[in-house]
Amino acid sequence: MFTDSVELTVSSGKGGMGCVAFRREKFVLNGGPNGGDGGKGGDIWFKCDNNTHTLSHFQRKMHIKADNGRPGEGSNMTGKSGAKKIIIVPPGTQVVDTETGEVLLDLVKDGEEFRFLEGGKGGLGNTHFKSPTNQRPTYAQPGQKGETRSIKLELKLIADVGLVGFPNVGKSTLISTVSNARPEIANYEFTTLTPKLGQVNIGDYESFVMADIPGIIGGAHEGKGLGIQFLRHIERTKTLLFMIDLASYRDLKEQIDVLRQEVAAFSEKLGTSKYAIALTRVDIIAPDDVNELVSSFIKMMDLEPSKHSEFDFDKNLPYYIQETVDETLGYDREKPYFILPISSAINKNIEGLKYALFNLVQSDRKE
């Protein structure tokens, strides 16, 4: 089960009460106060762990508490401190204040830990209150209360490339072809109901992560379809791959315009991300029609087909690619890095797509 948002109440532990005690030993007359301090309450910590990828294990834990400190004891013995409570979350989790909406923590790196709430201090024992005028204090401090806070955990998956397209456009087929992800694939819309991550290997030592989210429809940023619920998962990506279905009943211009408008309306940052375009399902369209459709799409984007590519794109099909990914050498982020006709079913241009995307991802990593 995938859960990407959950509300919790978290409480640090209360400090233990100080002790009221007096020294009582044989041959010791009128022993003074020796009550120990209470133990400190347990802290609340958050830890980022790659071994978990969902927030579903929090659904039945609506109130998470750290242990209280133990009371102090005689002979100046301090009570045991409460154990800290470590809340383990997957990378990409944000801790948000429920009331104000403020992002309190943003956990993205495996192994990083943050103390979120500090436990209450233990109360002082009566030994601290002795004085020349009060040699038999019968008072000790109560422990301080812990902190309680209502929070929301929101998971934003971390990927290098985010796939964006209408439902049933071939996103799941592509990610299953190029990566280790195994999403459900079927010939109906909204087969993807939860985001999927896949690692795309480039040779033996290089790779990038691709994210497949449920299909976007017009009005997604306003809550229509499943879009707004999962658009947050590509908000961290710097590179978007818009997937346009050549065989769809939707007009090609309508597809790219709606997708770009929805992404930009959801996030200003996403609206200025580097992007590329894949024209899918060339295998079910006649070759002459494919050439005409792709050429007209490239022209519609006010671009001209390219004549050569370092990524060995199929020369029998028109395509467009910028000459560089370096903005100092002429890369224009207002334009797509490439427009490429592909077919995951027959592996048409898939290898070239992988290496071209990796080239774009590498440029982002250097920035």
Side-chain angles (χ1 to χ4, degrees):
M1 181 177 181
F2 182 90
T3 300
D4 72 334
S5 179
V6 63
E7 292 189 6
L8 299 173
T9 301
V10 291
S11 298
S12 57
K14 178 183 177 182
M17 184 173 182
C19 176
V20 176
F22 298 89
R23 186 179 179 189
R24 292 293 182 263
E25 294 182 41
K26 190 176 183 180
F27 307 122
V28 177
L29 300 177
N30 301 322
N34 67 351
D37 301 340
K40 180 180 178 297
D43 301 332
I44 295 287
W45 287 71
F46 279 95
K47 181 178 180 180
C48 184
D49 190 348
N50 270 341
N51 293 315
T52 182
H53 63 281
T54 175
L55 301 175
S56 60
H57 52 290
F58 291 113
Q59 284 194 324
R60 302 195 179 194
K61 298 180 181 178
M62 301 306 295
H63 196 164
I64 298 176
K65 302 178 183 178
D67 293 340
N68 295 331
R70 301 294 298 169
E73 299 181 12
S75 301
N76 291 317
M77 290 193 292
T78 301
K80 183 180 180 181
S81 295
K84 68 180 181 181
K85 186 72 175 179
I86 300 177
I87 301 174
I88 297 177
V89 295
T93 300
Q94 289 185 334
V95 181
V96 181
D97 187 285
T98 303
E99 296 180 0
T100 65
E102 178 187 1
V103 177
L104 306 173
L105 292 177
D106 193 3
L107 298 104
V108 295
K109 295 182 180 178
D110 179 47
E112 63 181 357
E113 295 186 20
F114 295 96
R115 183 169 64 183
F116 183 63
L117 298 179
E118 187 171 1
K121 294 181 179 179
L124 298 177
N126 69 335
T127 188
H128 293 275
F129 301 101
K130 63 185 178 182
S131 69
T133 58
N134 185 13
Q135 298 183 6
R136 193 178 184 279
T138 57
Y139 168 79
Q141 286 182 335
Q144 290 184 353
K145 292 183 178 180
E147 301 177 76
T148 297
R149 199 153 188 178
S150 296
I151 58 172
K152 179 189 289 186
L153 302 183
E154 292 187 345
L155 177 59
K156 296 182 178 181
L157 300 180
I158 301 174
D160 297 301
V161 177
L163 302 183
V164 184
F166 279 85
N168 202 30
V169 75
K171 301 187 302 298
S172 296
T173 306
L174 175 64
I175 198 172
S176 67
T177 302
V178 301
S179 78
N180 58 355
R182 293 296 176 263
E184 178 184 354
I185 299 172
N187 190 27
Y188 54 85
E189 296 191 343
F190 293 112
T191 50
T192 300
L193 298 177
T194 61
K196 299 291 189 300
L197 287 182
Q199 178 175 301
V200 182
N201 293 319
I202 305 292
D204 293 331
Y205 304 104
E206 297 284 3
S207 66
F208 65 90
V209 177
M210 182 178 285
D212 173 23
I213 66 168
I216 305 300
I217 62 174
H221 73 281
E222 298 174 342
K224 294 182 180 180
L226 300 174
I228 196 172
Q229 187 176 356
F230 294 113
L231 270 170
R232 66 168 68 98
H233 290 297
I234 58 171
E235 195 171 5
R236 293 184 186 274
T237 64
K238 293 184 178 180
T239 301
L240 300 178
L241 179 63
F242 290 101
M243 299 188 65
I244 307 300
D245 188 356
L246 292 173
S248 173
Y249 61 89
R250 298 183 180 93
D251 182 71
L252 300 184
K253 185 177 187 303
E254 175 195 352
Q255 290 185 61
I256 188 62
D257 288 347
V258 170
L259 292 175
R260 294 196 66 190
Q261 289 167 10
E262 292 300 321
V263 166
F266 175 78
S267 167
E268 183 178 346
K269 177 183 175 183
L270 280 179
T272 58
S273 296
K274 294 181 179 179
Y275 73 100
I277 299 174
L279 304 176
T280 67
R281 300 212 287 179
V282 300
D283 56 296
I284 63 173
I285 301 176
D288 292 342
D289 293 338
V290 169
N291 289 340
E292 183 179 345
L293 284 170
V294 175
S295 297
S296 63
F297 184 87
I298 293 174
K299 185 176 180 180
M300 183 267 295
M301 298 289 292
D302 291 327
L303 301 170
E304 293 292 332
S306 300
K307 296 181 179 180
H308 66 275
S309 165
E310 61 180 303
F311 304 111
D312 197 27
F313 293 158
D314 189 333
K315 297 179 180 178
N316 295 319
L317 295 172
Y319 61 85
Y320 165 81
I321 186 168
Q322 296 195 44
E323 294 183 359
T324 179
V325 291
D326 190 335
E327 293 189 78
T328 63
L329 298 177
Y331 173 78
D332 186 354
R333 66 169 55 234
E334 295 293 326
K335 301 176 182 178
Y337 174 50
F338 62 77
I339 299 174
L340 182 65
I342 67 168
S343 170
S344 301
I346 61 174
N347 265 324
K348 177 72 72 175
N349 276 331
I350 297 301
E351 283 299 306
L353 174 79
K354 283 170 49 176
Y355 286 99
L357 285 174
F358 180 64
N359 195 37
L360 198 54
V361 167
Q362 275 191 314
S363 69
D364 286 330
R365 290 174 178 173
K366 293 175 183 177
E367 291 180 358

